Amino acid sequence: MRLLALIAGLVFATPALGVDDLDRILGQGVLRAGVCLTADPVAFHDTTGAPRGFDVDVAQLLADQLGVQLEIVEVTVPTRVPDLLSGAIDVIICNLTANAERAKLINFSFPYLRTGLRLLVRRGGGIDRIDDLGPETPIVVHRSTTGEALAIDRAPDA
């Protein structure tokens, strides 16, 4: 039952994916899943270059339940939503935080994986929490991510 709910949530987690899109996917026999393959162990390329990881497994389960072949399309943080909106992919199966801005463009399934944001700092460096980041403390985050938004909000001078 949970797998069916996950599949329904993922299939309908696109801006206009509905009965017509499901019929198209079933008729073509292919599900094009956009996966960010730079997040080992969640999704990555193995030593042969093949896509592997949890998100790839979820995509395969979805394709199997639909009775179609899986086509993994590598997407990036900046391209995943535009690829979905353009029809280059049928579904996004990769790290993506649901927020109000994105909800104006796409629909979200319920989360199939929950994670959190953490600061990674040098041990003994005097930084134990985000409030310890002072003016001009160098930090590194991916652009256009929840991490960047949090850093701008909670440590604007860092």
Side-chain angles (χ1 to χ4, degrees):
M1 186 63 157
R2 288 182 137 186
L3 182 58
L4 290 176
L6 170 64
I7 289 166
L10 289 172
V11 168
F12 296 104
T14 64
L17 188 62
V19 175
D20 292 342
D21 295 298
L22 183 56
D23 287 343
R24 179 186 47 75
I25 292 166
L26 295 173
Q28 291 176 344
V30 176
L31 174 70
R32 297 167 302 157
V35 180
C36 301
L37 293 170
T38 57
D40 188 3
V42 177
F44 59 97
H45 292 281
D46 69 12
T47 57
T48 68
R52 298 280 185 249
F54 182 76
D55 285 348
V56 174
D57 294 344
V58 169
Q60 187 62 63
L61 284 170
L62 178 57
D64 291 347
Q65 287 295 310
L66 293 173
V68 298
Q69 294 295 311
L70 174 63
E71 179 185 336
I72 296 290
V73 178
E74 186 168 3
V75 296
T76 64
V77 169
T79 66
R80 59 194 171 180
V81 172
D83 284 353
L84 182 64
L85 293 172
S86 73
I89 58 176
D90 300 314
V91 64
I92 298 171
I93 302 181
C94 71
N95 56 325
L96 183 67
T97 302
N99 62 36
E101 184 177 327
R102 290 179 179 140
K104 293 174 186 175
L105 301 172
I106 62 175
N107 294 320
F108 291 90
S109 69
F110 65 89
Y112 63 91
L113 176 66
R114 291 186 185 267
T115 62
L117 296 174
R118 300 283 188 262
L119 289 173
L120 300 176
V121 299
R122 187 174 324 140
R123 181 173 285 153
I127 298 173
D128 295 314
R129 58 185 203 271
I130 198 164
D131 296 333
D132 295 334
L133 298 175
E136 301 183 23
T137 302
I139 60 174
V140 177
V141 296
H142 284 271
R143 292 274 184 211
S144 303
T145 64
T146 306
E148 180 186 37
L150 181 66
I152 289 169
D153 181 56
R154 299 280 309 276
D157 296 327

